[in-house]
Structure formats: structure tokens, C-alpha cells
Amino acid sequence: MIKYFIYCRKSSEDDERQALSIEAQLRELRDFAKQNNLFIVREYTESQTAKEPGRPVFNEMLGEIEKGTAQGILAWNPDRLARNSIDGGRVIYLVDTQ
């Protein structure tokens, strides 16, 4: 059985530019997981911009993926995961290797 993490992020930047709150992202992703019988191991939430690498919650989650705690991530939009080349490269590498 494939195990998944849910990752929701809201930028710390201007609230008016935000597409969806963390709570709304969680609701949609929980519904998606339930409809598709996906096993969710843990939910991660973070309120920080992804323009720069170094988000602590994101890094913790990827560390858990590397340990094998889960094999996939559900995110509302790919830009919730990475908006910089370092984090994007880490995600791509994990997809390629695991």
C-alpha cells in the first residue's frame, strides 16, 4: 500500500494574493484522498514563502519521505511544494529515485 503525506502551504506574503487557505486546501485534499482510497500517514502545514529554500516543515517532510515513512505527497497545487530550484530539484530527484 502506498502511503501519502498531505502538504499544505500558505505563503507569508500578501493574504489578498492567496488562492486558497490552509484549511480549504486540507479539506480538498482529505476529500480527494477519501474518494480515491489513499492512505494518509500525516498532514503537514506551513505558512511560509517557497521562493527561498529552507522551509523547516517541508524539509522535515522530505526527510520522512527519504526514510520511507511515505511514498507520495498530496498537494493542492505543485507550487505549494516548490517555487525555487533547490526544493524543486529535491522533489524531482525523489520522484526519479523513489
Side-chain angles (χ1 to χ4, degrees):
M1 168 188 296
I2 297 175
K3 298 175 186 173
Y4 294 87
F5 291 138
I6 286 178
Y7 180 77
C8 298
R9 181 183 65 78
K10 180 181 181 296
S11 178
S12 59
E13 297 171 347
D14 184 9
D15 285 341
E16 305 230 345
R17 293 181 40 197
Q18 296 302 311
L20 209 59
S21 69
I22 287 177
E23 294 77 22
Q25 291 176 50
L26 281 168
R27 198 169 30 254
E28 285 194 19
L29 292 169
R30 288 171 182 154
D31 288 346
F32 178 83
K34 185 176 181 178
Q35 291 167 2
N36 292 279
N37 297 315
L38 302 178
F39 183 72
I40 304 301
V41 176
R42 183 171 172 193
E43 296 175 350
Y44 290 90
T45 62
E46 192 160 45
S47 293
Q48 188 170 350
T49 184
K51 289 183 180 177
E52 299 290 327
R55 290 171 286 150
V57 173
F58 177 79
N59 289 335
E60 176 187 340
M61 179 183 67
L62 290 190
E64 289 300 314
I65 294 249
E66 290 167 342
K67 290 179 191 174
T69 306
Q71 294 76 41
I73 302 168
L74 297 181
W76 179 73
N77 188 306
D79 73 357
R80 300 297 87 196
L81 295 175
R83 297 191 63 170
N84 68 75
S85 59
I86 293 173
D87 290 343
R90 286 183 70 195
V91 170
I92 291 167
Y93 180 76
L94 288 171
V95 169
D96 288 347
T97 60
Q98 297 181 11

